[in-house]
């Protein structure tokens, strides 16, 4: 692998250039190759009508963390989500969320990750598993990767 920290920084910067990342005010951290964390702070506009954080936010942080964990191990091409399963364990009210993800299987073209999502108070609120494929999209062609 090339310069891991440079690849991690470029990948994080690229993901943070996405409008959804900016809108949700995400924080993204790649701890090491195959391990990533993504957080979204609480915002009232992200709730459903019972005032719980919308489940789409739990999916979003889990999938993004899985994507970052997988792509941290692939330095040439972007990975793409091909399948994601999530179990919603408990609702979240008035708290931000943090997903931690780790690659559990790394093949030549397929990565499988496991993600756990926690509320700010430390409660496990969701668990998921994602499958990512290596695309033909060069990372260097993505906005933000080479900036």
């Amino acid at each position: 692998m090339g310069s891991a920290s440079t690849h991690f920084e470029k990948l994080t910067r690229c993901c943070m250039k996405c409008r959804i990342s900016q809108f949700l005010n995400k924080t993204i951290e790649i701890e090491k190759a195959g391990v990533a964390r993504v957080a979204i702070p609480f915002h009232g506009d992200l709730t459903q009508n019972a005032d719980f954080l919308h489940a789409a936010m739990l999916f979003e942080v889990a999938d993004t963390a899985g994507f970052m964990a997988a792509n941290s191990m692939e330095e040439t091409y972007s990975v793409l989500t091909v399948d994601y399963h999530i179990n919603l364990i408990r609702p979240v009210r008035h708290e931000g969320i943090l997903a931690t993800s780790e690659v559990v299987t790394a093949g030549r073209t397929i990565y499988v990750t496991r993600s756990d999502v926690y509320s700010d108070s430390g409660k496990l609120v969701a668990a998921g598993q994602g499958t990512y494929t290596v695309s033909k999209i060069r990372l260097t062609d993505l906005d933000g990767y080479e900036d």
Side-chain angles (χ1 to χ4, degrees):
M1 201 181 276
S3 174
S5 64
T6 301
H7 171 60
F8 295 173
E9 291 166 3
K10 289 178 176 183
L11 191 59
T12 300
R13 182 178 58 232
C14 182
C15 192
M16 287 305 298
K17 278 231 170 186
C18 295
R19 290 182 188 165
I20 188 76
S21 294
Q22 294 172 18
F23 175 76
L24 294 174
N25 196 25
K26 283 186 204 171
T27 58
I28 299 172
E29 175 193 357
I30 301 172
E31 180 181 315
K32 62 182 180 180
V35 179
R37 290 179 175 76
V38 176
I40 296 175
F42 174 76
H43 192 288
D45 288 342
L46 304 178
T47 61
Q48 42 86 302
N49 47 348
D51 208 27
F52 292 118
L53 189 65
H54 196 284
M57 298 304 103
L58 281 69
F59 176 91
E60 206 286 333
V61 294
D63 179 46
T64 301
F67 164 84
M68 294 300 288
N71 226 146
S72 71
M73 298 178 72
E74 169 55 51
E75 293 190 16
T76 304
Y77 297 100
S78 180
V79 300
L80 299 173
T81 307
V82 294
D83 187 51
Y84 203 91
H85 294 273
I86 191 163
N87 292 308
L88 304 172
I89 297 168
R90 67 176 42 95
V92 178
R93 183 175 276 153
H94 303 282
E95 293 184 82
I97 51 176
L98 166 72
T100 61
S101 188
E102 185 169 0
V103 172
V104 294
T105 302
R108 193 172 52 80
T109 60
I110 295 288
Y111 292 89
V112 177
T113 67
R114 165 122 170 85
S115 300
D116 290 322
V117 182
Y118 298 90
S119 64
D120 284 344
S121 61
K123 293 180 181 166
L124 181 66
V125 296
Q129 178 176 302
T131 304
Y132 304 85
T133 188
V134 178
S135 74
K136 299 292 183 204
I137 302 166
R138 297 181 81 61
L139 288 168
T140 55
D141 291 340
L142 297 176
D143 185 31
Y145 190 80
E146 288 295 338
D147 289 352

